[in-house]
Amino acid sequence: MNSYYNKMIVNVNFFLRGKESATQGKSCAIYAVIEVDGKKSTPFSTKLKVPVQFWMARGANLKIRPATTVHPVSESYTYAGKVNDHLCRLRQYADDATRILLAMDMTVTAES
């Protein structure tokens, strides 16, 4: 097996599409980007939506609990557990797929 692929770094990052122009109560779609060794894939929808004020909340509003990078939706949001669980499963799926492809000695890129 090529030693380059043993050291491959795979990250799954999430962001809200349209949050810059959204009003405080509006929900925006959560998109994901898979990054393989610094090369990013095309963003794709997770088919989840969350109100802007609960996404990556940092304590600006004392009524909303802070979010973390592992759980980007604040626990103050009613469906935070469900949404955060789905996002964690998506990250785990990418990790599992990477391990399987590496075990099969297949090349992994951001496009595949």
Side-chain angles (χ1 to χ4, degrees):
M1 182 183 289
N2 190 333
S3 63
Y4 171 76
Y5 293 108
N6 282 333
K7 298 175 184 170
M8 179 176 41
I9 299 171
V10 177
N11 292 316
V12 179
N13 300 312
F14 302 105
F15 65 93
L16 284 186
R17 176 147 287 174
K19 78 174 187 177
E20 293 80 18
S21 61
T23 58
Q24 195 68 355
K26 184 180 177 192
S27 292
C28 291
I30 300 173
Y31 275 68
V33 174
I34 298 174
E35 187 177 322
V36 180
D37 286 339
K39 292 182 82 176
K40 294 181 180 179
S41 70
T42 303
F44 60 93
S45 176
T46 62
K47 308 254 192 270
L48 298 170
K49 289 187 174 187
V50 67
V52 175
Q53 69 267 27
F54 295 110
W55 180 257
M56 296 298 286
R58 293 287 177 231
N61 183 344
L62 297 176
K63 297 177 185 175
I64 297 176
R65 292 186 191 141
T68 65
T69 54
V70 176
H71 300 288
V73 179
S74 169
E75 291 180 14
S76 298
Y77 180 54
T78 307
Y79 302 108
K82 184 177 181 179
V83 174
N84 283 329
D85 183 53
H86 184 80
L87 298 178
C88 286
R89 282 187 283 130
L90 184 63
R91 279 189 177 124
Q92 186 61 48
Y93 179 78
D95 288 342
D96 293 343
T98 302
R99 275 191 234 106
I100 290 169
L101 291 171
L102 288 172
M104 294 171 61
D105 200 22
M106 296 182 75
T107 303
V108 180
T109 65
E111 293 82 26
S112 62

